Amino acid sequence: MNHHHNHNPRILILGAGPTGLGAAYRLRELGYTNLLMVDRHPYLGGLAHSFTDPQGFTWDIGGHVMFSHYDYYDRVFDRLMGDHFTLNNRESWVRIAGTWVPYPFQNNIRYLPKDLAYECIAGVIKAQTVAGGVKDAIARAANFAEFCRAVFGPGICRHFMDPYNFKVWAHPLESMNKTWIGERVAVIDIDRALRNLVLGLDDYGWGPNNKFKFPLTGGTGEFYNRFGPVLKGSYNLNRNAVAIHISEKKIRFSDGSIEPYDILISTVPVDWLVNSLLVGHVPDLVRHQAARLLHSSGHMVGIGLRRDGGTPSSKCWMYFPESNCPFYRVTYLSNYSPHMTPDRDRYFSLLCETSASAHKPVNPATIVEDTIQGLINAGLLEPADRDAIVSTWHYHADYSYPVPSVERDDILADVIPWLERHSIYSRGRFGMWKYEVSNTDHSLMQGVELVNRLLLGQPEHTIGIVYKVTDDGMQHARGVTTMVTCGVVIILAQI
């Protein structure tokens, strides 16, 4: 690899979340030593880090689950975790009209009150039997809102898709593109939906093959913490980058220190990279485009409760489209491992996620109380359970979801190649801004694949993944042995 005259270029990695860790791990695995990974936090893992509060409850930043996606990722997990993990059944539900509807939603509308069930099924039938065919209707859709209408019809959109997705993305569905979905939802099996409704059949999206791994102790973050010893000597924590000098190839940090680089792998949000960190000549177009990227922020609220017998339910996670609670998703985190609470037989924990943006303001000062009241409104807690709350935890993620906006792909087409011409490779959840490939495993593999490209000349796969739907509502990527964690109708909330 000819970089300047330097055959052993200095590779600097900005950010020690899954993408940075994947890149550093792969470099070290290939015997490469001229690298440094830096992060502003005192810990590894970025948004995949976990925190244990003073009461002894462990909290993740959002509901992370580990499905088996990539052989390489699985091998790294095996190497670092051994048998230090639990295997859990994936059991997810939607809370709507005062009742629990099993996932996938469209196959279980029999659980709804009859008038809603009729409205939903009638809308699906109309949408799927439209003159000219549903494929044409999808092709005509100009954005995500029109796409949903074309696939699901007005009933499911009104009661579930529209309110739920606004709660998740905190942006109008009209401002989102339809390409991030790939081919995930092209067809709903009307016959199956109708049969289940009329014959009263259950159709669960979980079963013997729907298990996921979770670290036995320490939450999701335990896996990423374990990269520490392996990467010893290759990273610094508590170093906050404040300026990247493009022409000199130097990064300045808040303590005044400077690090040179030949190649920069950046996992920081690309809008912030371009408009707050880069110093030197950046074309107006690139700065303007990067500034147009949309994201939501997130409030993660953990509620730890005392209860004889521990967790009161076998549910894993639940979706909440309605306005009687601020959160879009709640996870029984205490079901993921017996060590997420001080004592599995005497406590349980609920992790609640709420999105925020200029379109959907959230008051940080009241979000914990709003969450508790929401849990009562939504039927997860009784008013009397307030007395059983022994711990509350609140984390604000300024960047939570990269919104796949209508303009996003055009923006990336201008920004990413320009950065690469200046030896800056932007990858990861907010480095590449592709929500569709920003699960923790995708993110780690973006780092690994970039290193394979830079050192071995191999093509990157993940950042251009195309999806194909399978019968069980799980997604398989074409040409890559991977699976995405999001089912057909819960359009992609399961980060």
Side-chain angles (χ1 to χ4, degrees):
M1 179 177 146
N2 291 318
H3 193 85
H4 307 271
H5 51 276
N6 189 347
H7 292 285
N8 183 29
R10 182 160 206 248
I11 300 178
L12 204 131
I13 301 168
L14 200 53
T19 307
L21 290 169
Y25 182 92
R26 183 61 178 146
L27 284 166
R28 289 282 299 261
E29 187 177 47
L30 291 170
Y32 204 92
T33 52
N34 193 14
L35 74 135
L36 177 66
M37 176 174 64
V38 290
D39 197 285
R40 65 195 166 109
H41 295 110
Y43 51 78
L44 297 171
L47 287 169
H49 185 68
S50 302
F51 301 85
T52 298
D53 70 19
Q55 287 72 38
F57 291 84
T58 298
W59 304 107
D60 283 357
I61 304 171
H64 294 278
V65 293
M66 291 181 188
F67 292 95
S68 176
H69 302 128
Y70 296 85
D71 293 339
Y72 184 93
Y73 182 91
D74 293 342
R75 286 199 303 275
V76 176
F77 188 86
D78 291 344
R79 178 185 166 190
L80 298 185
M81 297 304 298
D83 57 6
H84 192 79
F85 65 86
T86 61
L87 206 53
N88 298 293
N89 287 318
R90 167 184 194 249
E91 190 186 314
S92 46
W93 300 75
V94 178
R95 180 71 175 182
I96 192 162
T99 190
W100 293 107
V101 177
Y103 165 101
F105 180 79
Q106 83 278 14
N107 290 351
N108 292 292
I109 52 185
R110 74 181 193 86
Y111 282 76
L112 295 172
K114 281 195 163 45
D115 54 335
L116 291 198
Y118 168 72
E119 193 186 334
C120 288
I121 199 82
V124 168
I125 291 170
K126 273 199 197 79
Q128 295 284 319
T129 56
V130 68
V134 73
K135 288 264 197 295
D136 281 0
I138 291 172
R140 280 196 307 272
N143 55 52
F144 185 45
E146 291 180 12
F147 170 91
C148 290
R149 200 68 75 249
V151 174
F152 299 105
I156 287 180
C157 286
R158 189 162 80 90
H159 296 291
F160 182 71
M161 293 300 293
D162 294 355
Y164 177 72
N165 278 290
F166 182 69
K167 279 176 94 171
V168 171
W169 298 102
H171 284 79
L173 273 56
E174 289 74 18
S175 68
M176 293 171 63
N177 74 41
K178 59 179 183 184
T179 56
W180 62 280
I181 308 154
E183 296 174 13
R184 283 165 214 248
V185 270
V187 183
I188 289 179
D189 187 340
I190 314 180
D191 188 61
R192 184 168 169 177
L194 200 52
R195 184 196 64 197
N196 294 348
L197 176 63
V198 175
L199 301 181
L201 303 175
D202 279 333
D203 197 342
Y204 295 157
W206 57 84
N209 301 323
N210 275 313
K211 290 188 181 293
F212 62 91
K213 292 177 177 178
F214 196 80
L216 185 62
T217 58
T220 292
E222 175 63 17
F223 174 41
Y224 299 97
N225 287 341
R226 290 189 178 202
F227 282 83
V230 181
L231 299 176
K232 196 167 163 52
S234 296
Y235 68 91
N236 301 158
L237 299 174
N238 291 307
R239 290 189 78 182
N240 190 21
V242 292
I244 299 169
H245 297 269
I246 309 170
S247 49
E248 293 102 87
K249 294 195 167 172
K250 287 185 174 140
I251 300 193
R252 196 171 77 248
F253 295 88
S254 54
D255 61 2
S257 64
I258 286 178
E259 292 285 353
Y261 65 86
D262 295 304
I263 293 173
L264 177 61
I265 299 176
S266 171
T267 73
V268 304
V270 67
D271 58 346
W272 183 60
L273 169 75
V274 168
N275 285 302
S276 300
L277 289 180
L278 293 188
V279 176
H281 175 64
V282 181
D284 290 343
L285 172 75
V286 172
R287 290 211 193 263
H288 169 72
Q289 286 286 63
R292 295 167 68 210
L293 288 165
L294 305 177
H295 73 277
S296 64
S297 59
H299 292 273
M300 317 300 161
V301 175
I303 308 291
L305 296 106
R306 193 174 54 245
R307 181 182 180 272
D308 289 337
T311 313
S313 166
S314 62
K315 295 180 177 73
C316 288
W317 61 85
M318 300 144 284
Y319 302 104
F320 296 86
E322 295 175 336
S323 57
N324 62 357
C325 55
F327 41 77
Y328 56 87
R329 179 170 58 185
V330 176
T331 300
Y332 277 108
L333 211 47
S334 47
N335 275 340
Y336 284 13
S337 157
H339 303 291
M340 298 298 282
T341 68
D343 179 345
R344 65 183 299 183
D345 297 319
R346 293 176 52 234
Y347 300 94
F348 73 102
S349 58
L350 293 163
L351 178 66
C352 312
E353 300 168 70
T354 299
S355 284
S357 73
H359 299 278
K360 183 179 174 292
V362 169
N363 183 350
T366 62
I367 186 61
V368 174
E369 169 52 34
D370 295 344
T371 295
I372 294 168
Q373 188 56 51
L375 289 168
I376 294 169
N377 296 348
L380 276 176
L381 294 180
E382 298 294 323
D385 290 329
R386 281 180 179 275
D387 299 335
I389 296 173
V390 292
S391 172
T392 59
W393 176 81
H394 177 209
Y395 178 96
H396 176 249
D398 186 21
Y399 283 77
S400 178
Y401 279 84
V403 176
S405 61
V406 171
E407 323 60 47
R408 182 201 64 183
D409 294 348
D410 291 337
I411 293 170
L412 295 176
D414 286 329
V415 174
I416 299 295
W418 184 87
L419 289 169
E420 295 194 5
R421 284 200 294 278
H422 293 82
S423 307
I424 299 172
Y425 297 85
S426 183
R427 295 292 182 274
R429 186 179 181 87
F430 286 102
M432 185 46 76
W433 220 269
K434 289 196 171 182
Y435 171 76
E436 55 271 43
V437 286
S438 65
N439 288 342
T440 48
D441 62 311
H442 293 131
S443 297
L444 183 126
M445 290 305 296
Q446 284 191 41
V448 171
E449 290 176 7
L450 176 61
V451 167
N452 288 343
R453 172 184 154 192
L454 294 173
L455 266 59
L456 309 175
Q458 297 175 357
E460 295 178 81
H461 296 290
T462 296
I463 55 173
I465 263 179
V466 180
Y467 292 100
K468 197 169 68 188
V469 170
T470 55
D471 294 343
D472 60 356
M474 299 295 279
Q475 282 31 267
H476 293 274
R478 226 185 278 137
V480 186
T481 51
T482 175
M483 230 175 178
V484 178
T485 67
C486 313
V488 173
V489 81
I490 306 292
I491 295 255
L492 290 211
Q494 290 167 218
I495 28 177

